[in-house]
Amino acid sequence: MLEILAVVVILAVLIALSFPAYEKIRPVAERALCENNLRNLYVAFSGYATEGWPQVPKGIKLGSLAEQRWWLEKTEKDLGLSKNSWQCRTISRQFASVPEKNRPLIHYLPTPFSNEPNRANKSEQMPWFIEIGDAHGQGNLLVRKNGTVEPSHK
């Protein structure tokens, strides 16, 4: 019985010691997940880059919840993307205290390129997707036309 108690005490100490490390590792892991989401969006949208970028219907304001809803529905139907593909855990946590009706639906906004074929590949500087906030430091994460993910402020 004493051995079991000793094991429990040792495990409790190890768990207590790991909490500070978890708080240091979490931001790094969440940033990596966000970068992966952006790369996945890049891959999913690559076909649109040459065929013509999807256009938000007239009457839907860019940046609005209606636009975000439209992107979710369009990409779920056409590309099989889920809502999780569009969300960053860090941003979700930042908006946790905001009423659900006021939270953003997607955390990465697509650039409103024209639907001209190959338009998304013509601009060297224009990112394909932009994270909605500086959730990870160094500015919003961006994905460029070559698939690289980088912060807006290096």
Side-chain angles (χ1 to χ4, degrees):
M1 187 66 150
L2 191 57
E3 293 87 8
I4 293 174
L5 183 60
V7 169
V8 169
V9 168
I10 290 170
L11 285 175
V13 169
L14 289 173
I15 290 170
L17 291 173
S18 69
F19 279 126
Y22 173 74
E23 289 303 316
K24 290 179 182 177
I25 292 170
R26 184 173 69 179
V28 174
E30 287 182 351
R31 179 184 172 129
L33 287 170
C34 285
E35 289 176 358
N36 190 52
N37 282 350
L38 284 164
R39 282 188 196 92
N40 288 339
L41 288 171
Y42 167 80
V43 169
F45 274 70
S46 291
Y48 289 136
T50 54
E51 297 170 8
W53 202 258
Q55 298 300 295
V56 175
K58 292 189 186 309
I60 294 181
K61 183 180 175 191
L62 293 179
S64 68
L65 287 176
E67 179 201 7
Q68 295 174 41
R69 208 171 291 110
W70 182 82
W71 281 113
L72 283 173
E73 291 168 5
K74 169 110 177 118
T75 57
E76 181 178 21
K77 184 180 93 180
D78 293 355
L79 304 172
L81 294 176
S82 71
K83 187 175 182 179
N84 288 338
S85 302
W86 289 93
Q87 294 196 330
C88 169
R89 289 183 184 176
T90 305
I91 293 173
S92 292
R93 195 173 46 260
Q94 290 173 345
F95 279 93
S97 62
V98 174
E100 192 168 343
K101 66 179 182 169
N102 297 331
R103 292 180 199 164
L105 299 173
I106 62 176
H107 301 155
Y108 315 110
L109 295 176
T111 297
F113 292 110
S114 74
N115 63 351
E116 173 191 329
N118 213 24
R119 181 68 185 138
N121 288 321
K122 290 182 179 176
S123 175
E124 293 296 323
Q125 296 302 314
M126 189 68 138
W128 282 20
F129 297 93
I130 304 170
E131 189 178 44
I132 64 170
D134 180 7
H136 309 286
Q138 298 181 319
N140 310 53
L141 291 177
L142 316 167
V143 64
R144 301 282 183 190
K145 78 171 194 159
N146 63 0
T148 60
V149 176
E150 58 191 37
S152 58
H153 308 304
K154 290 183 182 181

